[in-house]
Amino acid sequence: MAFQLPDLPYSFDALEPNIDARTMEIHHDKHHAGYTNNLNNAIAGTELEGKTIEQILANVSKHSTAVRNNGGGYYNHNLFWEVMSPNGGQINGPIADAINRDFGSYENFKKQFSDAAGSRFGSGWAWLVKDSSGKLAIGSTPNQDNPLMDISDFKGTPVLALDVWEHAYYLNYQNRRPDYISAFFNVINWDEVNKRFAG
Ligand code: MN3
């Protein structure tokens, strides 16, 4: 069974004005679709057919660059769409307590996450992850790498992710990555983050 491009859980314009409809359309229908197709092409006829994306990423060092880049791109965008919502932005639930415990305050968390996203040189992702004890950490990865990959020097179970590739913001924000990062906090789907934190 090949990997499937998931539908966006909301309309292209649902996240406006924080993320514009045209960016969302191209990002999902072209970029994410491309990673999905290229991943399927890269694993076709290999031992990786039938494995879960998590199994593939956990041993990605053994596979081709195409599997690393497109497997990461497939997983990362699946997560990214889910952790945003037009009704997002209001932190609540157990993740709020864990953020206070591990970062001191929501404002400190926001600053550290924004710094990780802003200082990632070139293309990549910022992450909030948990370890096996539930402790949270913030970091970033280059390109389409992610914290599930055995080759990553930043590891953990992702609970929140932000795409800082230029394709994620350039139409609306041009070079102003900090403004895009700031707007992201208005659309974070904390209900979904809580689910991933509990899972
Ligand atoms: Mn992207």
Side-chain angles (χ1 to χ4, degrees), residues 8 24 42 47 59 61 80-81 121 155 175:
L8 268 189
M24 290 298 293
E47 48 155 356
N59 295 290
S61 63
F80 186 46
W81 312 137
F121 183 77
K155 289 196 178 68
N175 61 317

Side-chain angles (χ1 to χ4, degrees), residues 16 19 24 54 58 77 84-85 101 106 111 122 143 145 161 170 189 192-193 196 199:
E16 289 197 349
I19 304 180
M24 290 298 293
E54 288 84 359
H77 291 85
M84 296 189 290
S85 165
R101 179 195 68 203
Y106 174 76
K111 181 178 187 316
N143 304 312
D145 286 358
Y170 206 85
N189 180 354
E192 179 64 25
V193 177
R196 291 173 183 271

Side-chain angles (χ1 to χ4, degrees), residues 169-182:
Y169 63 87
Y170 206 85
L171 285 180
N172 190 41
Y173 291 99
Q174 293 84 47
N175 61 317
R176 303 188 309 277
R177 189 194 286 189
D179 291 351
Y180 161 71
I181 294 168
S182 176

Side-chain angles (χ1 to χ4, degrees), residues 10 15 24 28 43 66 76 89 124 144 156 164 171:
Y10 34 73
L15 303 181
M24 290 298 293
H28 178 270
I43 65 172
N76 296 348
Q144 296 294 353
V164 295
L171 285 180

Side-chain angles (χ1 to χ4, degrees), residues 78-95:
N78 284 359
L79 174 65
F80 186 46
W81 312 137
E82 295 286 336
V83 297
M84 296 189 290
S85 165
N87 306 311
Q90 202 59 36
I91 191 166
N92 62 77
I95 193 72

Side-chain angles (χ1 to χ4, degrees), residues 27 31-32 35 73 77 80-81 124-125 144 163-165 167-168:
H27 202 173
H31 292 279
H32 196 188
Y35 297 125
H77 291 85
F80 186 46
W81 312 137
W125 291 75
Q144 296 294 353
D163 188 343
V164 295
W165 283 56
H167 69 222

